[in-house]
Amino acid sequence: MASRINTSFTLIPNQKYRRSNRRSSYFSNTTDSDSQPLSTLGNFKALPLEIFQITLRYLSVKDISMLSMVSKTVSQYIINYISTSSGSKRLLLQDFHNLELPGRRQDSAILEHYRSLGLLFKRCTLLLPTKERLKYVHKTLTETLTAGWDELECHRVFNFLCELTHLSRKMQSAVCSKPGSARKLELRIRLFCRNVLLDHWTHQSDSAFWLTRILKPWPMVNQARLLYIIFGPISPQDGQVVWQKMIEGPTDESSLKGLADAIKLLYDTRTKEWTTDDVISLVDELSVVPREWLLENNARLLILSGNNICFTFMASKAVNGRALELARLIVFLALVCEKELYCMDWAVKMMQKVCKVFSTPVERHNFLQSVANAFACIIMEMLQSIMSGDREEDDRNFLNLFHLVHAQANFHKEVLYLTMNTLPK
């Protein structure tokens, strides 16, 4: 079948037409077969529209995609088929998100289907203006449909999606409300941003572009709120954002990984819209969403975000005269290293590197003394908490105190190793 279609579409008329005549015959739908030797529908011209659409049912998405490039008329016929209820039902899988359906396709097969479908829509709408093309965007089609488009066109895609879904208005309502008061709205924003705009991109630069479009229109405090809504920890029961996770107690690595990956994405891509100061300010603002985090959770986020971000964040505190905050943060970096079995010499070397930010020997000495004092003060705070807390909290605080004492011993041991290795032989 493919060979017959191909033969009819590649016939070349014997008569040599002028450019104006060729254009008029291409777009004309009223000229009969005598005045138009080559129909833009080829052999399909003899078929009723219903038979043409029935024929499409037997072709794969990739085959339909190739067929759409034959002519503008064929492409329009295919678009009309996709718009019908039968075509939409066949091509736009309605149950791809249902994890409990028997015999459900593998995720990779579903993604491949939508990549092929995105390519089909891209080819069908090739001659249309950008705004018209975007009418055919459907969930995961965005990735394939916009592949190869320049940045200006992708800006238009985002503006179109915001207008179509009222995304900006929903975000404004979410960030201006009390955290957790609009749980369903927060969940909708999270799912839309992750499933439509951010996930499944192959290249980090693409993910960074769309995340930038989401965050940059907002002030820094709202950027932090949105980042938490999109990447923060969620409840395993209903998938809704858990706002108190970072405040009520120490959390685990899985709860912070999404936030850390997003921060690294913005920092590592180094787009013109994100400076180092912007990213560090975002991390600082994030640590008080919805209220000030436990320092242990803040330290764990910095470790997961990587050495560069961790050092830059700490150096910023040193430069801005926040040495006492910095000393306490180093204590909790050591505590996380102890709990997670990370190398303690990493925390010591990070402290050594930050120490060099201070300009005078006196400032360095005072900073090191602050770190030693911070260990003692935090241990005393934990002891007081144990004495005044209830039984359940006592068990948790005793375990935390145990880890902190071990962290202090291992931290100072690594300091001694480092000192001995730097002594002249």
Side-chain angles (χ1 to χ4, degrees):
M1 179 176 179
S3 61
R4 291 200 299 273
I5 293 174
N6 187 47
T7 302
S8 63
F9 289 163
T10 54
L11 291 174
I12 301 176
N14 293 327
Q15 183 178 356
K16 185 175 181 181
Y17 292 109
R18 293 183 179 178
R19 181 180 299 273
S20 58
N21 289 339
R22 287 202 302 272
R23 290 185 63 182
S24 62
S25 66
Y26 182 84
F27 290 104
S28 173
N29 292 322
T30 58
T31 310
D32 58 23
S33 58
D34 294 334
S35 61
Q36 186 183 17
L38 177 60
S39 168
T40 55
L41 279 174
N43 291 340
F44 286 117
K45 185 178 181 182
L47 297 178
L49 179 61
E50 294 79 4
I51 302 300
F52 177 80
Q53 292 184 353
I54 291 173
T55 304
L56 293 179
R57 297 178 191 173
Y58 294 91
L59 299 180
S60 68
V61 177
K62 289 184 177 180
D63 291 336
I64 298 175
S65 177
M66 293 296 293
L67 181 61
S68 70
M69 294 191 294
V70 168
S71 72
K72 184 177 180 180
T73 307
V74 171
S75 177
Q76 188 59 53
Y77 270 43
I78 292 174
I79 289 178
N80 292 339
Y81 165 70
I82 296 172
S83 301
T84 64
S85 58
S86 59
S88 176
K89 186 176 180 180
R90 178 204 166 187
L91 296 175
L92 303 177
L93 305 179
Q94 302 299 310
D95 56 5
F96 73 95
H97 60 285
N98 193 336
L99 301 177
E100 300 178 357
L101 286 176
R104 177 178 175 270
R105 298 187 187 186
Q106 295 295 321
D107 288 346
S108 58
I110 292 174
L111 288 177
E112 184 58 36
H113 171 81
Y114 274 94
R115 286 192 183 98
S116 300
L117 195 57
L119 185 60
L120 165 61
F121 281 14
K122 190 172 185 176
R123 288 170 171 172
C124 282
T125 61
L126 189 62
L127 300 177
L128 297 178
T130 299
K131 193 167 184 178
E132 292 296 316
R133 301 181 79 183
L134 293 175
K135 291 180 180 179
Y136 300 101
V137 174
H138 184 272
K139 293 189 177 180
T140 52
L141 298 180
T142 309
E143 177 182 355
T144 305
L145 191 65
T146 60
W149 290 18
D150 62 31
E151 191 170 300
L152 179 59
E153 294 296 317
C154 291
H155 275 275
R156 292 173 180 169
V157 172
F158 182 77
N159 293 336
F160 172 83
L161 290 176
C162 285
E163 181 181 348
L164 182 68
T165 62
H166 308 292
L167 182 61
S168 298
R169 189 175 66 189
K170 292 175 182 177
M171 286 182 174
Q172 183 175 14
S173 178
V175 298
C176 293
S177 303
K178 183 180 178 181
S181 62
R183 292 185 178 276
K184 290 185 178 179
L185 179 59
E186 292 168 357
L187 183 57
R188 289 193 198 103
I189 293 171
R190 181 188 181 98
L191 292 177
F192 181 84
C193 291
R194 295 288 292 270
N195 295 340
V196 177
L197 298 175
L198 298 174
D199 292 349
H200 310 305
W201 290 104
T202 304
H203 303 292
Q204 280 195 332
S205 58
D206 292 322
S207 298
F209 172 84
W210 294 104
L211 183 56
T212 300
R213 302 282 69 73
I214 293 169
L215 298 181
K216 270 301 180 179
W218 303 95
M220 187 66 69
V221 61
N222 291 341
Q223 289 180 18
R225 283 278 295 271
L226 282 174
L227 200 68
Y228 196 97
I229 289 173
I230 299 170
F231 295 103
I234 56 175
S235 167
Q237 284 77 32
D238 54 20
Q240 294 180 347
V241 179
V242 182
W243 288 97
Q244 305 303 316
K245 187 83 169 180
M246 307 302 170
I247 302 165
E248 294 177 343
T251 188
D252 55 5
E253 182 177 315
S254 61
S255 298
L256 287 163
K257 189 176 186 307
L259 290 169
D261 289 343
I263 292 166
K264 284 192 291 185
L265 181 68
L266 297 176
Y267 184 87
D268 293 341
T269 51
R270 301 292 181 92
T271 62
K272 60 185 179 181
E273 294 170 281
W274 291 96
T275 65
T276 299
D277 287 342
D278 288 338
V279 177
I280 298 306
S281 297
L282 183 59
V283 175
D284 204 18
E285 195 66 51
L286 184 64
S287 65
V288 293
V289 172
R291 297 193 305 277
E292 188 172 358
W293 291 10
L294 295 181
L295 262 178
E296 182 178 335
N297 294 333
N298 201 3
R300 184 172 273 105
L301 176 66
L302 290 175
I303 291 174
L304 293 175
S305 298
N307 291 350
N308 291 334
I309 294 175
C310 184
F311 168 73
T312 308
F313 182 84
M314 296 169 71
S316 175
K317 286 187 177 295
V319 169
N320 290 309
R322 298 161 69 179
L324 295 179
E325 291 181 35
L326 180 57
R328 292 178 65 88
L329 180 58
I330 287 176
V331 172
F332 283 99
L333 286 176
L335 178 60
V336 174
C337 288
E338 178 67 27
K339 283 186 174 182
E340 303 297 337
L341 301 179
Y342 299 148
C343 293
M344 188 62 72
D345 68 333
W346 174 88
V348 173
K349 290 177 180 176
M350 184 61 69
M351 182 191 69
Q352 182 188 34
K353 190 176 179 181
V354 171
C355 195
K356 295 177 181 178
V357 175
F358 294 97
S359 55
T360 66
V362 174
E363 289 178 333
R364 297 189 194 107
H365 177 270
N366 292 340
F367 169 64
L368 294 175
Q369 185 63 52
S370 298
V371 174
N373 292 340
F375 269 106
C377 289
I378 294 171
I379 288 175
M380 289 299 298
E381 289 170 6
M382 287 187 178
L383 285 171
Q384 291 174 358
S385 178
I386 291 172
M387 294 174 64
S388 60
D390 57 33
R391 188 177 185 85
E392 183 179 351
E393 287 182 356
D394 284 351
D395 293 339
R396 186 169 59 246
N397 289 333
F398 265 121
L399 183 60
N400 225 25
L401 179 61
F402 171 80
H403 285 303
L404 181 58
V405 171
H406 272 264
Q408 182 187 33
N410 290 328
F411 184 87
H412 285 96
K413 180 179 69 175
E414 292 296 335
V415 171
L416 287 174
Y417 283 154
L418 184 64
T419 304
M420 295 299 292
N421 290 333
T422 56
L423 289 176
K425 296 181 181 179

